[in-house]
Amino acid sequence: MLDAFNANPVVLYNHDDGSGGIFGTGRKDVLPIGKGRAYVQGDALLVDIEFDQEDDFARKVESKVARGILNAVSVRYLMHQYHENERGGFDCEQQELLEISVVTIPGNQRAVRMKELADERAAFIKNVAEAVVVTLDARERSMAAPPPVPDVNALAKHTAEALLQHLQESR
């Protein structure tokens, strides 16, 4: 169940919400480091995180994530429907996501950043944008007269060039 989290999608660092609970330090000035959008893809819970750019600590965490120093997240959830299993633990059929944290050490070793997927998406977008620029450049050179709808071609080329510039700046 993701509705409650997505209505208030705060992302914490190491589950520290300032309450001094099991993971918290008890500081009262602890604030979220960003916000996230949680969703399920197949049988995996995924989150897209937007770090708070006005918070120095959040930017430090984001930098460590981008460089692969921090790779993991952890969740806090409320179990609604569950049963005890033969291993002495619980199997949960229904749970409600309460909070997501970027963490130094995850409880679930599979709860790591999907860098490969992010890199593949960026590479795909870059390839498409480059192809649009090359195609439109070739078309401009080959046409003696201006295209019938020059604004559409110019807009597509401008958009692709801007996307390429954005991808280069975000590295």
Side-chain angles (χ1 to χ4, degrees), residues 1 79-84 90-96:
M1 298 166 52
M79 295 192 323
H80 287 287
Q81 292 179 3
Y82 57 93
H83 63 274
E84 196 167 347
F90 295 93
D91 290 332
C92 190
E93 290 87 36
Q94 187 178 58
Q95 52 199 318
E96 179 179 5

Side-chain angles (χ1 to χ4, degrees), residues 52-67:
D52 182 355
Q53 296 304 302
E54 294 183 13
D55 181 308
D56 290 338
F57 181 73
R59 285 196 319 270
K60 283 181 186 179
V61 173
E62 179 182 29
S63 174
K64 290 183 184 298
V65 168
R67 291 180 294 145

